[in-house]
Amino acid sequence: MSTKTAIITGVSGQDASYLADLLVEKGYKVVGTLRRTSESERANIKHLKGKIVIEYADLIDSSSLDNVIQKHQPDEVYNLAAQSVPADSWTHPIYTGEVTALGVVRLLESIRRFVPACKFYQGSSREIFGGVHQEVMDEQTPFLANNPYGIAKLYAHLMMRNYRESFGMFTCAGILFNHESPRRGLHFVSRKITTAVACIKLGITDPPLDESGQSLVRDGKVHMGNLDAMRDWGYAKEYVDAMWRIMQQEKPDDYIIATNTLHSIKEFCQIAFAHVGLNWEEHVFSDDAFKRPTEITASRGDFGKAKRELGWEPKVSFEELAKLMVDADLERLRK
Ligand code: NAP
């Protein structure tokens, strides 16, 4: 069992909550940060009550970060907080830059000044490759971010590397392709589908609101964007194990974490609706209002380096993932 202290930013989020579970299990003292302005009910961390320490810090406010770093003197910091919704980044480009790009530098500066020996993990994204036309991406793929979120993540990624090179700090990153779970936010496509499936199947009359502020299910249909968009989709619970392994390496480095398989949103709909005996075509409407102004290319991630050096590989298949998410939403709504 470990006696290390880890700070996880954005602990109410999908990945951070799974990582908190993992580190608590490993015996870490886990300090999770939330921001004061959050209105979320924090469902993802309810079960961790009493098992982790909660602190309030915002990536926009460097003094709040300094306070937490100085107070807890962490051995490891995992930065999983971000304005994490690519679709929202076109309407909030400045805010996205403040949080997702500059917020990381605020955190790095705080670590450099107060705990320079602390290890730092950055939640990098496949979106830093953006529009690169390459069927399979690996750690050598050039960066060509093509939306405000991806560009902010790229700035953060390069700054993370720069602190490694300039100051010799242990800074590393997982470059993660899409990963989903029952803890995924409702404004992301996978959860939107599985929640709609559960609402339709159970005949829920007051479904939650979608990202446009309208009912998630309207006239028996869920409104989606580009159904042909392809993604490399994995299971978040497995991906946080890769984060921890990256931080335990002797030398800091960056790793692609992915499944090396590609599936469309249409396929996700097919599997999710069929799982409860429904025909997706009767319940899904492709709505231009939800389409992205620019699409990232359809590419898979080569996790070969992670497999060789970290002993990590994905196990849950795309089909299993879609089904387990539907099952979780059915259970949640039945309650
Ligand atoms: P998530 O569920 O959306 O969680 C993001 C967290 O960041 C939330 O807890 C949110 O808090 C917090 N946050 C937002 N703005 C903040 C601010 N100004 N200061 C402090 N905290 C703030 O994201 P996720 O899916 O777990 O992803 C974790 C990280 O990996 C993110 O950085 C994301 O960009 C990156 N990533 C995700 C994927 C993926 O497919 N999931 C892929 C590649 C990279 P509130 O609850 O208060 O909003």
Side-chain angles (χ1 to χ4, degrees), residues 238-284:
E238 296 182 333
Y239 282 34
V240 301
D241 176 49
M243 296 176 190
W244 177 77
R245 287 172 190 246
I246 291 170
M247 285 282 258
Q248 309 316 309
Q249 296 306 293
E250 234 168 74
K251 285 189 183 157
D253 205 349
D254 310 324
Y255 294 85
I256 297 272
I257 303 299
T259 68
N260 210 345
T261 61
L262 211 49
H263 297 277
S264 67
I265 291 172
K266 199 183 283 175
E267 282 175 83
F268 197 105
C269 291
Q270 275 165 349
I271 294 168
F273 278 95
H275 187 50
V276 297
L278 295 172
N279 178 358
W280 74 278
E281 285 172 294
E282 291 169 14
H283 298 289
V284 178

Side-chain angles (χ1 to χ4, degrees), residues 42-287:
R42 292 160 191 165
N44 289 343
I45 52 168
K46 271 188 183 156
H47 63 286
L48 284 168
K49 203 171 170 186
K51 294 183 180 166
I52 63 173
V53 177
I54 293 292
E55 294 283 1
Y56 289 88
D58 195 312
L59 288 182
I60 281 186
D61 180 351
S62 50
S63 63
S64 69
L65 300 171
D66 290 351
N67 290 341
V68 178
I69 296 284
Q70 277 184 290
K71 180 174 170 186
H72 291 283
Q73 300 285 309
D75 301 286
E76 299 176 4
V77 170
Y78 295 83
N79 179 40
L80 300 180
Q83 188 304 87
S84 62
V85 189
D88 286 354
S89 71
W90 278 279
T91 51
H92 297 72
I94 297 168
Y95 180 73
T96 301
E98 278 292 348
V99 177
T100 307
L102 284 178
V104 180
V105 184
R106 292 186 187 101
L107 193 49
L108 283 165
E109 269 301 287
S110 187
I111 293 170
R112 185 178 72 81
R113 286 165 55 215
F114 302 118
V115 280
C118 170
K119 294 181 172 184
F120 174 82
Y121 173 92
Q122 166 61 7
S124 285
S125 164
R126 167 262 178 270
E127 300 261 350
I128 64 178
F129 302 126
V132 171
H133 286 278
Q134 208 168 294
E135 205 184 318
V136 185
M137 292 168 165
D138 61 19
E139 290 80 2
Q140 312 311 321
T141 300
F143 305 128
L144 197 60
N146 65 352
N147 62 53
Y149 167 82
I151 293 164
K153 279 284 180 191
L154 178 53
Y155 174 83
H157 186 77
L158 294 176
M159 287 302 276
M160 173 280 301
R161 274 194 184 175
N162 192 256
Y163 274 65
R164 186 194 302 163
E165 288 155 10
S166 303
F167 304 117
M169 286 168 54
F170 191 110
T171 65
C172 57
I175 305 171
L176 272 56
F177 281 57
N178 285 58
H179 47 284
E180 320 296 313
S181 77
R183 296 187 193 175
R184 189 68 145 145
L186 186 54
H187 36 272
F188 290 95
V189 66
S190 60
R191 244 337 267 307
K192 189 174 165 181
I193 297 167
T194 59
T195 307
V197 168
C199 286
I200 293 167
K201 181 68 185 173
L202 299 176
I204 301 288
T205 49
D206 59 341
L209 302 181
D210 68 14
E211 62 271 48
S212 68
Q214 302 186 70
S215 178
L216 179 67
V217 181
R218 282 173 263 159
D219 300 324
K221 288 187 195 299
V222 56
H223 289 231
M224 308 289 300
N226 177 12
L227 299 176
D228 294 318
M230 309 282 284
R231 296 284 184 271
D232 178 328
W233 263 308
Y235 183 28
K237 196 174 175 181
E238 296 182 333
Y239 282 34
V240 301
D241 176 49
M243 296 176 190
W244 177 77
R245 287 172 190 246
I246 291 170
M247 285 282 258
Q248 309 316 309
Q249 296 306 293
E250 234 168 74
K251 285 189 183 157
D253 205 349
D254 310 324
Y255 294 85
I256 297 272
I257 303 299
T259 68
N260 210 345
T261 61
L262 211 49
H263 297 277
S264 67
I265 291 172
K266 199 183 283 175
E267 282 175 83
F268 197 105
C269 291
Q270 275 165 349
I271 294 168
F273 278 95
H275 187 50
V276 297
L278 295 172
N279 178 358
W280 74 278
E281 285 172 294
E282 291 169 14
H283 298 289
V284 178
F285 177 71
S286 177
D287 187 337

Side-chain angles (χ1 to χ4, degrees), residues 312-331:
W312 180 91
E313 61 182 316
K315 296 196 174 66
V316 171
S317 72
F318 174 72
E319 187 166 347
E320 288 167 335
L321 175 64
K323 288 179 178 173
L324 75 82
M325 288 179 67
V326 171
D327 288 342
D329 275 322
L330 284 170
E331 197 187 322

